[in-house]
Amino acid sequence: MIINLLKPDIRNLHEQTYWYLHQLIISHQLKPGSRINYDELSEELGISKTPLRDAFNRLSQEGLVEIKPRSGTFVSIPNIKDVREVYDVRKALERQSIELAIDKIPQSELEKLLELNQAVKKKFQESGNFQAFLDSDRVIHQAIINYSNNSRIINIMETLNAQISWFGFLIIDKIRERVSEATEHHQAILEAMMNKDVEVAMKVMEYHVEKTKQIVIKDISK
């Protein structure tokens, strides 16, 4: 059986398989460029090849694996073109999310997100708790996207998040170095939204995403 899944409450075998493999790829336990051995995975997980094939088809749609006819299935290799495209789309969608969400998100929700951001910043300074920052980063960005109330933006971002997480793991040490800066960006975005200053909020979000893009590009260009 599959254990220690990213989403342990999922009971459907096909979903469990997808999230397990997704986690292995995102964390680079399945290395970029490596060939997938269906027989080994099937034996290791104690499942048939059908849920494996379904999972890899889904991961292929997300750009995390490449299925080559008569050659096999391979973990994708990050390239600069993919990074540019993913982060440019993310930048546009998150800017638009701010514009759509700014009159919908309650002030009380923005206050909670600001408190979370400050607590995480303090916790990191005191104990180096990096996971708390990663969790808060997801919560803040996702809240803005959700309050856009635009189902297409939400669905597209859900698809992009797989590659965003994958790229993020490449620069995990650099992200750790940028916690103070990133929390300052989050604070500026949230405060601008509280003040209904959509231009400032969008400008900071654009800078925030663009800087991450440039760091990823620099890292994979080595």
Side-chain angles (χ1 to χ4, degrees):
M1 278 298 295
I2 302 172
I3 57 174
N4 296 326
L5 301 181
L6 188 62
K7 289 194 172 181
D9 58 326
I10 295 173
R11 298 179 183 180
N12 180 281
L13 178 61
H14 288 252
E15 283 292 311
Q16 288 187 43
T17 305
Y18 161 76
W19 281 107
Y20 179 78
L21 297 172
H22 175 277
Q23 188 175 22
L24 292 183
I25 293 170
I26 294 299
S27 64
H28 291 226
Q29 293 180 66
L30 286 175
K31 302 293 184 184
S34 61
R35 190 176 190 276
I36 304 298
N37 189 315
Y38 281 78
D39 291 329
E40 285 184 3
L41 281 173
S42 178
E43 183 176 349
E44 175 187 342
L45 302 177
I47 59 176
S48 71
K49 293 180 183 178
T50 299
L52 286 174
R53 290 195 184 95
D54 289 346
F56 282 119
N57 283 334
R58 186 170 168 185
L59 291 164
S60 175
Q61 293 173 0
E62 295 179 344
L64 295 181
V65 301
E66 184 178 1
I67 300 173
K68 300 179 180 179
R70 296 182 296 280
S71 295
T73 300
F74 300 82
V75 179
S76 297
I77 299 174
N79 62 72
I80 292 174
K81 182 175 183 292
D82 286 342
V83 172
R84 288 190 190 280
E85 291 179 353
V86 167
Y87 280 98
D88 285 347
V89 172
R90 176 190 178 187
K91 184 165 53 181
L93 292 180
E94 295 217 46
R95 275 175 53 89
Q96 184 64 21
S97 292
I98 285 174
E99 186 169 15
L100 294 172
I102 200 162
D103 290 324
K104 300 184 184 77
I105 187 167
Q107 291 285 303
S108 60
E109 180 68 13
L110 290 170
E111 289 171 1
K112 287 179 185 176
L113 293 173
L114 275 167
E115 289 174 5
L116 171 64
N117 187 60
Q118 285 299 110
V120 164
K121 182 177 181 179
K122 183 178 179 182
K123 187 179 295 186
F124 183 79
Q125 291 171 339
E126 293 175 348
S127 64
N129 190 325
F130 184 55
Q131 186 59 50
F133 164 74
L134 292 177
D135 293 342
S136 70
D137 182 72
R138 283 191 290 268
V139 168
I140 291 168
H141 283 271
Q142 194 62 51
I144 295 171
I145 291 163
N146 288 344
Y147 274 102
S148 75
N149 200 30
N150 185 304
S151 60
R152 285 167 176 78
I153 289 178
I154 293 168
N155 291 337
I156 294 170
M157 282 302 303
E158 185 176 335
T159 300
L160 287 181
N161 279 336
Q163 287 189 305
I164 290 169
S165 298
W166 187 46
F167 295 147
F169 199 90
L170 290 171
I171 58 167
I172 196 74
D173 290 333
K174 295 180 179 64
I175 294 175
R176 194 185 301 272
E177 295 169 2
R178 291 185 60 227
V179 168
S180 179
E181 181 184 40
T183 53
E184 287 174 5
H185 292 169
H186 291 158
Q187 180 174 339
I189 291 165
L190 294 169
E191 287 179 346
M193 292 183 73
M194 288 188 75
N195 294 328
K196 305 296 183 183
D197 194 334
V198 67
E199 292 299 327
V200 168
M202 289 195 298
K203 185 175 181 179
V204 178
M205 179 65 81
E206 182 175 3
Y207 177 79
H208 180 63
V209 175
E210 177 66 22
K211 188 153 188 182
T212 303
K213 181 184 80 173
Q214 294 303 327
I215 292 172
V216 176
I217 289 173
K218 184 178 179 180
D219 192 80
I220 68 174
S221 298
K222 292 178 180 178

